[in-house]
Amino acid sequence: MTSSRIRACVRILGVAAAVCAAVLVVLALVVTPADAELGNTVRIMYVHVPSAVTTYLAVFVTALGSALYLLKRSCRWDRIAAASAEIAAVFCGLALITGMLWGRPTWGVYWVWDARLTTFALLFIIIIGYLAVRRLPADPTVRSKRAAIIGLVGAANIPIVHKAVAWWGGLHQSETTLGTVNVQIGGSMRFTLLFGMLTFVLIYSWLLARRVQVEELLAHTESAGLAAAIVERRAEAEAEHIPVSR
Amino acid sequence: MNQWSYVIASWVAVAAVLIAYAVSVVRRARKLGK
């Protein structure tokens, strides 16, 4: 695929994400009814659940990129993992914030150390750790290898987060829409929740495409800067009549 | 605060964070692409 075609696809993806986001606002805040038990706070679910699901997806892509980097030593996979991890941090933060804003009117507290919340907070810390390791001054290969290992650890935490309520219980409710045993919502509410997930996945895909582009430009700038520094140093050495090995 | 305050706060937070992040990514790409 040519670069102009890729750019056109990314642009279409961005427009689709923006249109879906506008439709989601209308569906979630106007069209769907208030829940019989939760009241209007159910409208927070239409951004909270998609944020959490997109976090899972972003962490999974980071782990996939990390695993393929460790197997193939391809910088491209490392860049995809790095880009996805940054987006994962954004969605994970949003899931935590919206969860707290839902918890206050529903449970009476913003935060409780229940199994799902604690494991999800741990996932956020792992993602931040991944991003911190990428910024440590080290050889790029060593840095990428260390980050890849943390990326895999983050993905290993996802099944634990997902099953935390079933295994340890707590205040957080169990699966609402994608559960196989007890589907708790239906009709326009279920449709809006699924549409929210689709919208957030589109937003994630567009952000990933743009963020990978940034990583590629950064790598290009770094290598160009290094080449320029070598040329400059050689010129200095030649001016001082120091023998330079080539 | 009533329920709608929490709902609006959540949606505003999500919109603000996503728009700010998207703008920062596009700006970084433009700056590096020059």
Side-chain angles (χ1 to χ4, degrees), chain A residues 95-181:
Chain A
L96 286 170
I97 291 167
T98 52
M100 286 162 78
L101 287 167
W102 181 81
R104 184 69 181 85
T106 313
W107 300 334
V109 285
Y110 283 106
W111 186 264
V112 60
W113 292 103
D114 118 308
R116 171 64 66 80
L117 274 70
T118 307
T119 50
F120 204 80
L122 183 66
L123 182 65
F124 185 63
I125 292 165
I126 292 171
I127 299 166
I128 297 299
Y130 177 96
L131 296 173
V133 164
R134 293 207 73 94
R135 277 159 183 76
L136 286 177
D139 177 72
T141 317
V142 176
R143 192 174 56 196
S144 298
K145 211 190 291 178
R146 285 175 185 163
I149 292 164
I150 299 173
L152 291 172
V153 171
N157 192 33
I158 291 178
I160 300 170
V161 176
H162 191 63
K163 285 285 169 193
V165 180
W167 290 344
W168 299 299
L171 271 178
H172 199 284
Q173 69 187 79
S174 54
E175 296 160 67
T176 306
T177 309
L178 302 175
T180 50
V181 182

Side-chain angles (χ1 to χ4, degrees), chain A residues 7-158:
Chain A
R7 269 201 297 272
C9 286
V10 172
R11 207 167 292 149
I12 291 167
L13 194 60
V15 172
V19 171
C20 285
V23 174
L24 180 65
V25 171
V26 176
L27 283 175
L29 300 181
V30 182
V31 176
T32 54
D35 185 71
E37 283 181 30
L38 297 172
N40 282 310
T41 56
V42 75
R43 298 177 202 282
I44 300 174
M45 288 298 109
Y46 304 129
V47 281
H48 172 69
V49 178
S51 298
V53 169
T54 313
T55 306
Y56 290 169
L57 175 67
V59 172
F60 174 75
V61 171
T62 301
L64 185 71
S66 300
L68 288 170
Y69 171 75
L70 290 174
L71 285 173
K72 297 183 175 181
R73 301 282 166 191
S74 160
C75 289
R76 184 158 177 78
W77 285 113
D78 182 48
R79 285 177 208 141
I80 290 171
S84 188
E86 193 180 277
I87 305 166
V90 172
F91 282 104
C92 196
L94 285 176
L96 286 170
I97 291 167
T98 52
M100 286 162 78
L101 287 167
W102 181 81
R104 184 69 181 85
T106 313
W107 300 334
V109 285
Y110 283 106
W111 186 264
V112 60
W113 292 103
D114 118 308
R116 171 64 66 80
L117 274 70
T118 307
T119 50
F120 204 80
L122 183 66
L123 182 65
F124 185 63
I125 292 165
I126 292 171
I127 299 166
I128 297 299
Y130 177 96
L131 296 173
V133 164
R134 293 207 73 94
R135 277 159 183 76
L136 286 177
D139 177 72
T141 317
V142 176
R143 192 174 56 196
S144 298
K145 211 190 291 178
R146 285 175 185 163
I149 292 164
I150 299 173
L152 291 172
V153 171
N157 192 33
I158 291 178

